[in-house]
Amino acid sequence: MTDVYLNLIASAHGSQTEFNDADTLGQPAADCDRIVKKTGVLSRPIVGEREYTSDLALRATEQLLLQSTSTASEFDGLIVCTQTPDHLIPGVSSRVHGKLGFRQDCYTMDINQGCSGFIYGAHLMAAMVRSKALQQAVLVNADCYTRLIRHDDLTTRVLFGDAATATIFSTQPSGFRLLYSRCYADGTGYEDFIARGSAIQPDRGIAQGIHMNGPGILSFALRVVPDAVDSALKDNGLNRKDIRMFAFHQANSFVLGKLAYKMGLENDQVPQNCAELGNTVSASIPLLLLDQQDHLKRGDLVLAIGFGVGLSWGGALLEYVGND
């Protein structure tokens, strides 16, 4: 089977920072302290008044091209994963394609996926590279959920940050080798995380914006993530001690702590970066890989697990091969 690699990751954050403090949230300082202690989120990047998902996607992709030895014209694939497009029509990928000069025969599309979107996107990229439909492609994960969050809904406002990543996929051996990926869905949880009034179907009589069934989402994560981990390990003849890092979607510290405890994982196996980023949706896993790669050595195995809206989840086994 053709080896597929994640060669390079670049990122961009919302241009403003929102703190989970009393002045910002309009809540007593003691309540804000409890929020921070439970979620682990101190602050989050958010988009400015005239800043949108395509702006984050463009900045992340521009940064990727600056760090890469390739120009936009050398890529034959561009996929943007987002649930907060600037417009329903056309996709954010068209904006990135047109602004950065990707060639006309570059396969270009959006996929609508949330917190499992990096796994879903990597699964799709790998299939297309292995089938030789693509040779070198870019996966962009970008969202500005804060555009959909009601300011008076502290259950969501304190969690989400706006960010984007851009990742190169190819057969060139550098970065992370994608050894395995598998995706899952349970559409019976469609309404557990939903943005009311966000598209064509009217949602009358209910506040517009994101509505989250917090207990339901937590129960879902604690149910499916350990099973996804065990399936990935079994499918690859591994056990938990073989994994250097479990790169879980950065929902918040409370969820990550519950997952680590349930699976008996050591703290250093489950790194976090949500303190100053919050939950950045499908960009959270590549942001974590970007943060942690300097702590990895060649041959280290990373098991990435995304989970969330849909409901959907998935796992990807990666081997760090270095960037020499």
Side-chain angles (χ1 to χ4, degrees):
M1 182 171 63
T2 302
D3 284 336
V4 177
Y5 297 85
L6 289 65
N7 299 130
L8 190 63
I9 303 171
S11 67
H13 299 167
S15 61
Q16 300 182 10
T17 301
E18 184 171 275
F19 294 88
N20 287 340
D21 59 16
D23 289 341
T24 303
L25 300 179
Q27 301 294 315
D31 290 347
C32 294
D33 289 343
R34 281 193 291 271
I35 288 171
V36 169
K37 183 177 181 180
K38 182 174 182 178
T39 66
V41 181
L42 301 169
S43 64
R44 298 155 284 107
I46 64 172
V47 290
E49 182 180 356
R50 297 184 178 179
E51 189 177 24
Y52 297 92
T53 296
S54 69
D55 298 306
L56 299 179
L58 281 164
R59 292 209 306 270
T61 308
E62 286 172 332
Q63 186 63 32
L64 185 77
L65 295 173
L66 284 174
Q67 296 176 20
S68 172
T69 58
S70 301
T71 64
S73 63
E74 295 176 75
F75 291 91
D76 56 2
L78 171 64
I79 295 176
V80 175
C81 176
T82 185
Q83 294 192 314
T84 56
D86 299 19
H87 304 95
L88 287 178
I89 302 169
V92 174
S93 57
S94 295
R95 175 90 180 206
V96 175
H97 182 282
K99 288 286 187 180
L100 299 186
F102 285 82
R103 65 193 200 220
Q104 289 189 352
D105 66 347
C106 176
Y107 182 89
T108 303
M109 69 175 294
D110 280 22
I111 58 174
N112 180 318
Q113 196 57 266
C115 299
S116 63
F118 183 71
I119 305 301
Y120 268 72
H123 188 79
L124 176 60
M125 281 289 195
M128 296 185 75
V129 171
R130 286 176 179 140
S131 70
K132 304 189 185 304
L134 299 176
Q135 293 184 344
Q136 183 174 231
V138 177
L139 172 66
V140 178
N141 295 84
D143 273 296
C144 50
Y145 261 34
T146 60
R147 291 283 183 189
L148 300 175
I149 288 173
R150 291 166 285 124
H151 275 206
D152 62 348
D153 179 15
L154 295 186
T155 61
T156 56
R157 182 180 174 186
V158 301
L159 296 178
F160 289 95
D162 300 327
T165 58
T167 306
I168 294 176
F169 285 75
S170 79
T171 58
Q172 299 300 312
S174 67
F176 294 90
R177 182 162 65 113
L178 179 60
L179 302 173
Y180 164 95
S181 59
R182 189 171 179 183
C183 300
Y184 308 85
D186 179 4
T188 63
Y190 180 90
E191 296 193 3
D192 282 348
F193 194 108
I194 188 169
R196 297 292 184 185
S198 61
I200 294 172
Q201 179 176 323
D203 287 300
R204 298 185 179 91
I206 189 169
Q208 295 191 359
I210 286 177
H211 291 255
M212 179 176 70
N213 174 6
I217 293 293
L218 175 61
S219 176
F220 153 75
L222 293 177
R223 183 177 73 253
V224 304
V225 171
D227 286 347
V229 167
D230 289 343
S231 292
L233 295 177
K234 181 180 178 181
D235 290 346
N236 290 278
L238 301 169
N239 56 53
R240 291 175 185 174
K241 69 180 181 181
D242 296 320
I243 304 299
R244 169 63 183 84
M245 181 174 80
F246 290 85
F248 292 135
H249 161 59
Q250 300 290 288
N252 60 68
S253 290
F254 179 75
V255 173
L256 294 170
K258 288 285 190 180
L259 288 172
Y261 177 79
K262 184 170 184 178
M263 289 184 278
L265 303 177
E266 300 295 333
N267 287 338
D268 64 352
Q269 286 183 291
V270 188
Q272 300 184 23
N273 67 352
C274 54
E276 296 179 347
L277 290 174
N279 179 338
T280 53
V281 197
S282 74
S284 78
I285 290 175
L287 283 170
L288 187 66
L289 295 176
L290 185 60
D291 287 346
Q292 294 293 318
Q293 63 183 357
D294 288 343
H295 303 295
L296 300 174
K297 63 180 185 297
R298 284 183 178 84
D300 279 348
L301 296 179
V302 175
L303 184 55
I305 305 287
F307 52 92
V309 60
L311 297 170
S312 62
W313 65 104
L317 181 64
L318 306 170
E319 177 193 10
Y320 184 64
V321 300
N323 289 298
D324 291 346

